[in-house]
Amino acid sequence: MDFALLSAAAGELAVNPWVALAYLASGVLFILALRGLSSPSTSRAGNRYGMIGMLIAVVTTLVTHDIASLPEIVAALAIGGGIGWVIARRIAMTDMPQLVAAFHSLVGLAAVLVGWAAYLNPEAFGIVGPDGAIDPVSRLEMGLGIAIGAITFSGSIIAFLKLAGKMSGAPILLPARHVINLATLAAILGLTGYFMTDQSLWVIATVTALAFLIGFLLIIPIGGADMPVVVSMLNSYSGWAAAAMGFTLHNTAMIITGALVGSSGAILSYIMCKAMNRSFISVIAGGFGADASAAGGEAKEQRPWKRGSAEDAAYMLGEAEKVIIIPGYGMAVSQAQHALREMADLLKAKGVEVKYAIHPVAGRMPGHMNVLLAEANVPYDEVFELEDINSEFATADVAFIIGANDVVNPAAKTDKSSPIYGMPVFDVDKAKQVFFIKRSMGGVGYAGVDNDVFYMDQTLMLLADAKKMVEDINKGLAH
């Protein structure tokens, strides 16, 4: 690309108030999008604000920068948009967590590629200093963008493999992992600083390689119980990578967008860690405190338990006054949310009070259960977070657990050796009756630990596919 044209475009960006106004409007819309996404009732509007803001930012960038010919841009948009459209149409809600992780990896890889493009052709990016070398500040931005992008890419790939079940969800603990991680991070930071004084190829290549490595090392020790935090954390990383590349590209909208994504992702990760009684630094540092005993996916004890039927559940639910439903990933797998809402409607028609209890880390990503219940048109005022409803289990006639496990496991309160110890859980043991839907007694939760709730006197295990079991219960309630 002609450097004079880019300089002219940059000059236009600096003097044309309409360009600054357009980017400002995009930033405001992105903020409104984040605000909208904070609640299921406003999430649709939030998505619309985000799409409009991105459209304004993209159009403004294309109009003010002579980057490529219009046919090339249209072709790129058609290819990327077509792939995204096909994936969005085909992806099941149960696969959404791993899809998010996969998309985070693409954002990280894009940051790496943009950084390397700027390094190999700095004139095209307008980052060459008077001495003919890349401006030192631009080198710092470039190094940080590449490093964060590479960490995001490799870390997201591991998260995708764990969430998709293609890799064990248990922590994989390497000997002296903390020393290795800290040394690698120190080397990345040191070489990034050195890159400001020496722009040799080996420096930026080493930073890239080490960043790819540390992304892998940071995520493999993190177990399944903490995976929702990882997804949120990687979202934050992708934002900071985009912001760093925004400085390299001299694009205000990219800087604003990246900073918003990075900061909101970091805040969400912190909130989730607090909700799980986890140390934020421990999680992002690569599973500090993880225990090798967390591995394993089978129940370790053979104790007496009671099996119930759909007829039993229908009768007791119909006689109840108050029912609290706790959904989990098993509900998502079987796509039982619509049948569950129908069950709640049948119960309410009989005068039963019905509420839904949502744990901050239920499912495999933040807000997973909220999205599924919203898809089934469950009223928002019937959905409660852990801190708002946990005290009500003592007055509940039935705690109806559908596909959840770790979030109701009392080991989090009693067993210091458990990988979920310290995580706040629902006090389902205080309910008069517990119905626990799961496929079989052989498997355990994503964290890989057995659950004492299975063996409580007031628990009836409903062993079946969650959707089929709820549909059978609905038949009983309808008569």
Side-chain angles (χ1 to χ4, degrees):
M1 187 188 77
D2 190 342
F3 177 63
L5 290 176
L6 179 60
S7 299
E12 180 184 359
L13 183 63
V15 300
N16 190 340
W18 292 105
V19 175
L21 182 62
Y23 282 153
L24 177 62
S26 295
V28 171
L29 286 167
F30 292 147
I31 293 172
L32 291 174
L34 288 174
R35 181 181 180 184
L37 293 172
S38 65
S39 170
S41 60
T42 58
S43 59
R44 290 181 183 271
N47 272 316
R48 283 193 288 268
Y49 288 137
M51 289 187 287
I52 295 171
M54 184 57 68
L55 178 64
I56 294 174
V58 170
V59 170
T60 302
T61 301
L62 294 178
V63 169
T64 58
H65 291 76
D66 185 17
I67 300 173
S69 67
L70 185 60
E72 290 176 326
I73 292 177
V74 171
L77 289 173
I79 294 172
I83 293 173
W85 176 267
V86 171
I87 292 175
R89 297 281 294 180
R90 293 183 177 181
I91 197 71
M93 280 304 301
T94 50
D95 296 331
M96 193 59 66
Q98 49 262 47
L99 177 67
V100 171
F103 280 175
H104 286 164
S105 74
L106 296 180
V107 176
L109 183 60
V112 174
L113 294 176
V114 169
W116 269 92
Y119 175 77
L120 296 173
N121 190 13
E123 293 83 3
F125 290 81
I127 56 176
V128 177
D131 58 354
I134 300 175
D135 181 74
V137 175
S138 295
R139 284 186 235 165
L140 176 62
E141 298 163 356
M142 188 187 305
L144 290 175
I146 289 175
I148 298 173
I151 292 172
T152 303
F153 175 75
S154 56
S156 297
I157 292 297
I158 298 300
F160 167 80
L161 293 174
K162 287 195 172 194
L163 290 167
K166 301 181 184 299
M167 181 178 182
S168 173
I172 300 175
L173 308 180
L174 300 178
R177 65 187 184 282
H178 303 323
V179 175
I180 296 173
N181 291 350
L182 291 174
T184 306
L185 287 171
I188 291 172
L189 293 174
L191 286 171
T192 301
Y194 180 69
F195 187 53
M196 296 179 67
T197 62
D198 182 0
Q199 66 178 58
S200 299
L201 177 63
W202 73 267
V203 181
I204 192 64
T206 304
V207 168
T208 305
L210 289 176
F212 279 129
L213 176 64
I214 194 62
F216 170 80
L217 294 176
L218 286 174
I219 304 303
I220 60 171
I222 300 177
D226 294 325
M227 198 50 62
V229 181
V230 172
V231 173
S232 176
M233 180 181 68
L234 291 170
N235 177 55
S236 176
Y237 288 175
S238 68
W240 295 124
M245 287 300 103
F247 283 102
T248 301
L249 296 173
H250 307 294
N251 190 290
T252 307
M254 197 169 178
I255 296 171
I256 293 173
T257 306
L260 286 172
V261 173
S263 57
S264 60
I267 292 170
L268 178 59
S269 299
Y270 174 77
I271 292 172
M272 294 181 69
C273 282
K274 188 176 180 181
M276 298 168 63
N277 197 30
R278 290 284 196 269
S279 165
F280 181 66
I281 299 300
S282 297
V283 175
I284 66 174
F288 273 85
D291 189 342
S293 65
E298 297 297 325
K300 298 179 178 61
E301 298 186 57
Q302 295 296 327
R303 290 185 278 168
W305 52 275
K306 301 174 184 177
R307 182 165 189 164
S309 66
E311 292 76 15
D312 297 331
Y315 175 77
M316 295 182 188
L317 286 167
E319 295 296 316
E321 294 183 1
K322 182 176 183 178
V323 174
I324 300 178
I325 300 171
I326 306 99
Y329 187 68
M331 183 194 76
V333 171
S334 65
Q335 290 290 284
Q337 62 269 25
H338 295 281
L340 190 66
R341 192 216 65 215
E342 181 183 351
M343 185 188 82
D345 291 341
L346 290 169
L347 289 174
K348 287 186 288 184
K350 293 177 178 290
V352 180
E353 181 185 3
V354 179
K355 294 184 177 182
Y356 297 82
I358 307 297
H359 195 279
V361 296
R364 300 285 173 85
M365 65 180 289
H368 197 181
M369 295 300 104
N370 300 80
V371 171
L372 291 173
L373 294 180
E375 179 191 353
N377 295 317
V378 170
Y380 300 129
D381 58 359
E382 295 179 5
V383 180
F384 297 87
E385 301 295 332
L386 182 144
E387 63 272 12
D388 298 322
I389 200 171
N390 215 16
S391 61
E392 296 190 30
F393 282 99
T395 60
D397 295 293
V398 176
F400 190 88
I401 305 167
I402 175 169
N405 195 330
D406 298 328
V407 299
V408 298
N409 194 333
K413 297 182 290 183
T414 59
D415 186 359
K416 293 185 178 181
S417 66
S418 172
I420 62 172
Y421 180 73
M423 181 177 79
V425 294
F426 290 117
D427 296 329
V428 296
D429 55 307
K430 296 181 180 179
K432 296 177 184 176
Q433 180 72 55
V434 177
F435 292 124
F436 207 126
I437 299 180
K438 65 195 304 283
R439 287 186 177 273
S440 70
M441 292 297 293
V444 290
Y446 197 56
V449 290
D450 202 6
N451 194 335
D452 286 340
V453 174
F454 300 161
Y455 316 106
M456 294 191 312
D457 291 337
Q458 72 266 43
T459 299
L460 284 182
M461 301 300 299
L462 306 177
L463 304 182
D465 172 79
K467 183 178 181 181
K468 185 178 186 309
M469 175 57 71
V470 176
E471 288 175 343
D472 289 342
I473 292 174
N474 291 344
K475 292 177 184 177
L477 288 171
H479 291 101

